[in-house]
Structures are given as C-alpha cells and as structure tokens.
Amino acid sequence: MAGLPRLLFLNYFRIAEALAYAVLAFGPPGLEWTRQSEPLAYGVAVLYLLCALGLLLATRRLIRHATLAVSGMLVLDIVVAVLASTTMHDARIGIAMMLAVTLSAGALLLPLRLSCFFAALATLGMLGHTLLGSRRGDTSAELLESALFGLAYFAVVTLCHVLGRQLRASEALAEQRSIDLANLAQVNELIIRRMKTGVLLVDDANRIHQINESAWMLLGNPSAEQRDLGRLAPELSRRLYHWMTSGKLDETATQLADGVPEVVPRFTRLAPNDDSLVLIFLDDTSLLSRRAEELTLSSLGRLSASIAHEIRNPLAAIRYSAQLLAESHELSPTDQRMVEIINNHCGRLNEIIENILQLSRRERSRPETLDLGHWASGFVEDYKLGNDLGIDSLRVISSGNVPVAGMADPQQLQQVVWNLVQNALRYGRLPGEPARVMVVVRHGEHGVPILEVIDRGPGIAPKVAAQIFEPFYTTHEYGTGLGLYLARQMSEANQASLEYVRVAGGGSCFRLTLASAYRGKGADEAVAPG
C-alpha cells in the first residue's frame, strides 16, 4: 500500500484533466475551441470524465495490481490527449503539458523501461497528430513543438523515476526504522516492567505517570486510581522533596507499606536541570542481602576448598598410620580404644571435607528418565551392603504396578537420598528404640513423581525446621550444617524441590518432588531402571 498516495494523486489529476477537457469542449460558442467536428470533442470529454471518476473510485482495488493498472491508465491518457489535441487544436500546448504531468506521475510507480515506453508512445502520438495537421496545410513549426515535447517527456519521466526510486527507498528505510523503534520501545517497556528494581516516573505535581510491577508490589499493591505519591507513600514523597530542595539523598532503608520488604530509594532527573519529571528507583534490600549472601558463600566455598585440599593429605597419613597401629597384637585394650577414636574422627573429618568440596564444585546435572521404584529398590540394597544397619530397618514402599517416572541425574539423586537416609537413621529414632526409615515412591497431585524419606522419630521442632536448609546450621555437636543445604542445591539443579514435612503422630518426612518425565506411547521402554 506504499504507492497508494501516488496512485491517488494520478487519479485526482486525471479528474482535473478531464474537467479541463470538458471546459474546453463545452466552452462559449463564440470561441473556436476545435478545428474538427465539435460532437467528437464533446464525446471525448464526457467519456474521459466518466472513466476518470470510475478509476478514482476503484483506486484501492487497483493498487493490488498497480503496474498493470497504471499502464492501462497511461494508454487511456495518451489516446485521449491525442484526440483532444486533434479536436481542440488551439489548446494543443496545454494538453501536451498536462500529458507530461500524467507521464511523470506514472513514472513514480512504473519501472524505467515501461515509463520510457509510454513517453515514446506519447511522443509518437503528438508527432502523428502534428503530421496529420501538416497535411491539412498547417505550418511545420508544430512539428518542432511536438518533437520538443517528446524530449521533455523523456526527461521528466527519467527524472521522476529516479526521484520515485529514492522516495521508495526513503519510505522503506523510514518504515524499517519505525518498526525497529517500535520493537525497541516494546523491549524497553518489557525490561522495565520485569525489573527486580522498582521504577516510578513522577512529575513536579507529585503525580505518578508510570510504575513497573516491582514498584507496584513494593508500594503495597495500590489501585490503579491512586496516583498521588504523597498519599500513596508519604515517606517516599518526603525524601523526594528533600532531595529536590537540598540535593542530598537519604540512603537509609525504609518500608513503604505493611508486609513488603524494605527499600532504598534513589532519584534522578529525566532531563538535566529539569524537575518536571523525576525517575525513582526502589532497591529491594532483601535482594541485596541475598546477593551478598551468595557472594559470601561462593568466596567461602573457594576458601574452604583450598583448605580442605591441604587437610586431606595429612589426614590420609594419620588414618593410614592408625589402621597400621590397629593391626598390632601388642596393644592394650585402652590403646585399641584410642586407635578406634582416631579412626572415627578421621572418618568424620573426611566427611566434612567431602561436603566442603561438593559446596565448591557445584557439578552440572545430567538428568535422565528414571523409574523411581526400581531406582529406590537398588539404592536400598546398595546402602545395606555398604552400611551395617544392625537393628535399624530401611525399606522401600512403592506405588504398586504403576511405574513412577521422573527426571534426575542418577549420581546427584544418589547423593541427595543417601544424605537424607543417613540423617534419618542417625536422628530419626526414639530413645531406646531402633530407627525405622522408609523410602516412599508415589505419584503426587497432577501425577508429579515424588520420593520421600520418612522416619518414625521425634520429628523436628518448627523453629529448627525453618532453618535446617540454611548453610552451616546444625543442632548436632559433630554436624557441619552442609548436608541438607547441599541436598537442596543439588535438587534445584535437577529442577526438583526438597522440603520438610512434619508427619502426624511423630516422625519426619523429607519430600523430593522431581520433574515429570514424558509418558507417551512406548514410554515403558523409554524408562531406565536406574
């Protein structure tokens, strides 16, 4: 539709041209408008005016076939111009000039070769009319006029074609720039709306013009009609006024509404030396604290890993020496007890080192589709072979004949469940009774795969349960506080969630909700047995 304005101009000019022919044909009878029969001039003017009106009304339909439509129009214009010049001989110069305008408008829409073809056709028509007039006794000066008009036709057609090509290139570039600008504005709007930092645009009347989602939440989810910053957040309005009058920024954290995190507001003018519009940024202090904690944990993990590597070699030497000393037959029972204590503490220290190294490595997960029932059975058998349970019990409870398929990295899932089972056997027992631990595999709500480690011990107090997944938090004198933290980190790396659920009647349940595997035709063959 880019050529619609030019086609409309061509059709409007044709209307004006047809009206001019009608005025010439139906002019005062005392003037000699024609040199041939007047009825032919009347018919040419009327028919051309009707065709011009019809083409104008059909402009929007013709634009779909612009080249063919303009070509047909120019043929009509040239034929009518030659007939009008023949029947209205005294007005031939004006008719030839109007034809030049028509050819120029057509050159804006047509290729150069086709435009030159119509310029040649118009030139031949005018020369033919002149030759016909010369045979009737007219002077040969008209032949020179027609030749000069022909040269003018070729010149204006070439010039208008070049201008039209540049105009089309400029229109295409402007349209592309407009699309790019609209896309950029949409991207900027989406970025601002999804930013974790709250952003508000406030004018000098303290009225909010724009607000993103984070700022809306940090202001307590106000209604859309509330736009007055003074009523919505008086403390923020006071700080803005203080910044605008004194130029000093109050960087202390403040809470703008009940039940929302504290924020640190920052202000900046939208334009230099112009206070009409001010941007307000609200930095959530909880996000800053979380980032600082992540940086601290990362630095601590790297430092701990370097220290753990240095401890591992002398620890291995101590444990090897203790094992050699335990093989001696000359040790007294007291010395044997001491060697046993050394071995136990070496094992505990090695466990601490392994946890710290896992904290620093953070290996990437490689999830696979697992049949959790088969996997859990194999895990329990391997655990019993590698650990002496004594009177404690560890068993698997599966959901029956329906396989439970989940996505997880087998090695990382092994570490997570091993840690949970180890904690359940160690802490999930009542005084004087053996530990009873169950690994339950079942489908949850909406068919999600769930793996639970349940014990029948005393459970965990609510205050303690709220902190058990935090790093370095432990209630045991020999604990490191990293086991459950690492278990949750590895679970999240596998797009799973690990949570503590208190069991009614006593006991604890650590629930691992995994990502669902695709269950379609042939899914039973696709599920690996672990």
Side-chain angles (χ1 to χ4, degrees), residues 47-322:
L47 289 176
Y48 190 52
L49 181 60
L50 293 177
C51 291
L53 291 173
L55 291 173
L56 178 63
L57 295 176
T59 301
R60 293 190 177 274
R61 289 196 295 265
L62 294 175
I63 193 62
R64 290 176 290 185
H65 309 284
T67 301
L68 183 61
V70 174
S71 300
M73 292 176 188
L74 290 181
V75 171
L76 174 65
D77 296 334
I78 293 171
V79 171
V80 171
V82 171
L83 291 175
S85 298
T86 303
T87 57
M88 309 171 193
H89 185 73
D90 292 340
R92 66 185 183 281
I93 297 178
I95 294 172
M97 293 177 63
M98 287 191 295
L99 182 59
V101 177
T102 304
L103 292 173
S104 302
L108 296 174
L109 295 164
L110 296 177
L112 180 60
R113 290 185 179 180
L114 199 56
S115 300
C116 291
F117 168 75
F118 288 114
L121 187 63
T123 303
L124 292 175
M126 289 299 172
L127 288 173
H129 155 68
T130 304
L131 291 175
L132 182 62
S134 298
R135 292 176 184 174
R136 296 177 180 178
D138 293 337
T139 62
S140 60
E142 295 182 9
L143 189 62
L144 178 61
E145 291 178 359
S146 299
L148 292 176
F149 273 117
L151 291 176
Y153 291 159
F154 280 98
V156 297
V157 161
T158 305
L159 178 62
C160 288
H161 174 77
V162 173
L163 293 177
R165 185 172 58 189
Q166 294 180 353
L167 181 62
R168 286 190 292 271
S170 300
E171 287 180 350
L173 181 61
E175 184 177 0
Q176 184 61 40
R177 292 288 186 270
S178 174
I179 294 173
D180 293 342
L181 186 61
N183 292 337
L184 183 61
Q186 187 176 4
V187 170
N188 290 337
E189 183 182 356
L190 181 62
I191 291 173
I192 293 174
R193 189 166 67 245
R194 296 298 185 185
M195 283 175 60
K196 297 299 182 182
T197 301
V199 180
L200 298 93
L201 181 63
V202 182
D203 60 11
D204 51 359
N206 222 22
R207 181 172 179 79
I208 301 174
H209 283 265
Q210 292 185 9
I211 180 172
N212 69 345
E213 294 178 1
S214 297
W216 179 73
M217 295 177 61
L218 293 172
L219 290 175
N221 305 338
S223 62
E225 293 78 15
Q226 292 180 326
R227 291 289 178 177
D228 189 353
L229 185 64
R231 295 183 179 179
L232 194 59
E235 176 62 20
L236 186 59
S237 177
R238 184 193 67 78
R239 293 196 183 193
L240 174 61
Y241 177 77
H242 177 73
W243 174 78
M244 294 179 65
T245 54
S246 65
K248 297 180 180 180
L249 180 63
D250 187 357
E251 297 184 356
T252 57
T254 182
Q255 191 177 28
L256 301 178
D258 294 334
V260 299
E262 292 185 339
V263 297
V264 177
R266 293 181 290 113
F267 311 100
T268 182
R269 293 177 176 86
L270 196 61
N273 302 321
D274 185 8
D275 293 337
S276 59
L277 292 173
V278 176
L279 276 174
I280 303 178
F281 298 96
L282 303 177
D283 295 326
D284 188 350
T285 56
S286 63
L287 295 177
L288 297 177
S289 301
R290 198 176 307 157
R291 291 171 189 164
E293 181 182 351
E294 290 176 355
L295 290 174
T296 302
L297 286 174
S298 178
S299 302
L300 183 58
R302 288 193 295 268
L303 176 62
S304 302
S306 62
I307 296 174
H309 280 294
E310 296 298 327
I311 295 175
R312 174 170 273 181
N313 291 333
L315 178 63
I318 294 172
R319 190 167 190 177
Y320 182 66
S321 301

Side-chain angles (χ1 to χ4, degrees), residues 344-362:
N344 290 338
H345 282 275
C346 285
R348 176 175 168 268
L349 189 56
N350 186 66
E351 182 181 346
I352 295 173
I353 292 173
E354 289 295 332
N355 287 337
I356 292 174
L357 290 177
Q358 289 181 20
L359 179 65
S360 62
R361 279 195 291 261
R362 296 288 182 89

Side-chain angles (χ1 to χ4, degrees), residues 407-465:
M407 294 291 295
D409 185 326
Q411 183 178 359
Q412 293 185 356
L413 182 62
Q414 174 92 8
Q415 296 179 27
V416 171
V417 180
W418 188 92
N419 199 325
L420 297 177
V421 170
Q422 189 79 358
N423 286 344
L425 291 172
R426 183 179 299 171
Y427 308 115
R429 65 176 69 236
L430 295 173
E433 295 184 9
R436 292 177 295 164
V437 180
M438 296 173 290
V439 178
V440 180
V441 176
R442 63 181 178 87
H443 282 110
E445 189 177 359
H446 305 297
V448 296
I450 291 178
L451 190 150
E452 296 173 327
V453 177
I454 303 174
D455 64 68
R456 305 306 299 179
I460 303 176
K463 291 183 178 180
V464 176

